[in-house]
Amino acid sequence: MERLERHASFGGWQDVYKHESDVLKCSMNFSIYIPSHEQDEKLPVIYWLSGLTCNEQNFITKAGAQKYAAEHKVIIVAPDTSPRGEDVPNDAAYDLGQGAGFYLNAIQEPWSKNYRMYDYIVDELRTLIDQNFPTNKVQSIMGHSAGGHGALTIGLKNPNIYKSISAFSPIVAPSQVPWGQKAFTAYLGTDQTLWQQYDTVALIKANAVQLPILIDQGSEDAFLQEQLKPELLLNACKDQNYPITLNMREGYDHSYYFIASFIEQHIQFHSAFIK
């Protein structure tokens, strides 16, 4: 690994690293905030997954999470949202290709060689963090928008790894909305039965294990009606008797102003399950 940035923050360190990913076949950046701790102390980790067009920088510069991570003594890791590089396939649109990995394992050409973000998050990055930083190998996961989709699906598919899940403005039913349908067709093909393994609503309907879930959604989110549709998740949870907390936040939009307003509650939520 190569450290690209280091900033003192609330008694801890906000770092950015670059490493070569075997899974994604390219160089990847990730950010990590490590709060002040005793020399031999091991800390739990919260993984943050960002949304379309974002990279490892958006969360650490806009969310204001470092203060609350320091108070709760948790590490926060925020990776990039997709593989990147001149040799990595891309698309001219913002919602496909680089910056839009959708946290799945692609099986269609030309994406299948590099676009394996699911394996990267669940296995490669987690192993890298545990081997090189003072973690106790206890973790939760959260995210925003397409990253909220990633956090929900990854958490639900791996209840033995993650203790809790939270999301801001997540895409909860990608199989039923334009963002997800476009990405799933490109990455997975037209067989919609394959889409269900990366669809939160479908996973809720099929899941026996119930992880704690917290969701915040702004009422003035421009993507609320067409792309996010939180009512589909609420209905699925009701049908399955799956306990979930979904807060509709009056007046808030899709931006990091929204995330910064409620990130303290999300870190506090996860801390209750990973401490």
Side-chain angles (χ1 to χ4, degrees):
M1 291 190 304
E2 176 188 356
R3 190 168 69 202
L4 303 178
E5 297 181 33
R6 164 157 280 198
H7 309 282
S9 182
F10 293 97
W13 295 103
Q14 178 63 69
D15 295 342
V16 177
Y17 285 88
K18 178 172 72 173
H19 75 104
E20 292 299 319
S21 169
D22 292 332
V23 169
L24 303 179
K25 306 293 190 294
C26 66
S27 294
M28 287 292 288
N29 291 355
F30 67 87
S31 65
I32 181 168
Y33 178 75
I34 304 176
S36 177
H37 60 284
E38 301 298 326
Q39 183 173 352
D40 297 326
E41 188 176 7
K42 304 296 184 182
L43 304 176
V45 184
I46 304 175
Y47 286 86
W48 170 271
L49 306 183
S50 293
L52 297 174
T53 75
C54 294
N55 57 28
E56 79 287 344
Q57 294 288 330
N58 298 73
F59 179 76
I60 62 175
T61 58
K62 296 180 179 180
Q66 292 88 348
K67 179 179 186 293
Y68 309 115
E71 291 174 357
H72 289 279
K73 295 191 78 172
V74 297
I75 293 170
I76 299 185
V77 175
D80 201 348
T81 57
S82 78
R84 295 184 192 267
E86 293 183 2
D87 297 329
V88 175
N90 199 10
D91 189 90
Y94 76 94
D95 54 358
L96 187 68
Q98 295 186 33
F102 269 86
Y103 303 101
L104 50 73
N105 289 337
I107 59 175
Q108 295 291 310
E109 296 294 340
W111 314 102
S112 56
K113 176 182 176 181
N114 302 99
Y115 284 76
R116 302 187 62 82
M117 286 298 293
Y118 177 89
D119 282 352
Y120 176 71
I121 299 297
V122 174
D123 296 320
E124 186 177 31
L125 179 62
R126 185 168 58 90
T127 299
L128 186 73
I129 297 300
D130 287 342
Q131 289 178 346
N132 291 278
F133 300 98
T135 82
N136 62 7
K137 300 183 179 180
V138 177
Q139 54 267 312
S140 289
I141 191 164
M142 60 182 179
H144 171 232
S145 194
H149 142 76
L152 286 163
T153 55
I154 287 172
L156 289 169
K157 288 164 68 71
N158 297 277
N160 59 319
I161 296 177
Y162 304 98
K163 301 295 185 184
S164 53
I165 310 168
S166 76
F168 292 85
S169 314
I171 307 169
V172 301
S175 299
Q176 302 182 54
V177 301
W179 273 340
Q181 290 166 346
K182 178 179 180 178
F184 284 4
T185 300
Y187 295 141
L188 302 175
T190 57
D191 182 355
Q192 295 192 20
T193 60
L194 298 177
W195 298 7
Q196 304 307 301
Q197 63 185 310
Y198 300 110
D199 187 295
T200 298
V201 167
L203 291 172
I204 288 288
K205 292 179 179 178
N207 242 0
V209 179
Q210 296 185 341
L211 287 181
I213 296 178
L214 168 65
I215 293 177
D216 275 292
Q217 173 64 61
S219 67
E220 299 305 307
D221 192 319
F223 305 108
L224 179 60
Q225 300 301 325
E226 183 182 20
Q227 305 282 10
L228 306 181
K229 298 184 180 295
E231 68 277 4
L232 297 178
L233 178 58
L234 279 180
N235 291 338
C237 288
K238 182 179 179 181
D239 291 343
Q240 299 300 120
N241 293 315
Y242 194 116
I244 186 173
T245 300
L246 194 157
N247 301 311
M248 289 299 298
R249 303 295 189 177
E250 190 66 31
Y252 287 89
D253 57 21
H254 200 73
S255 71
Y256 267 85
Y257 295 107
F258 170 45
I259 295 169
S261 299
F262 299 103
I263 192 64
E264 178 182 12
Q265 288 90 325
H266 283 243
I267 292 173
Q268 187 174 21
F269 167 79
H270 290 298
S271 295
F273 299 102
I274 57 180
K275 285 298 181 70

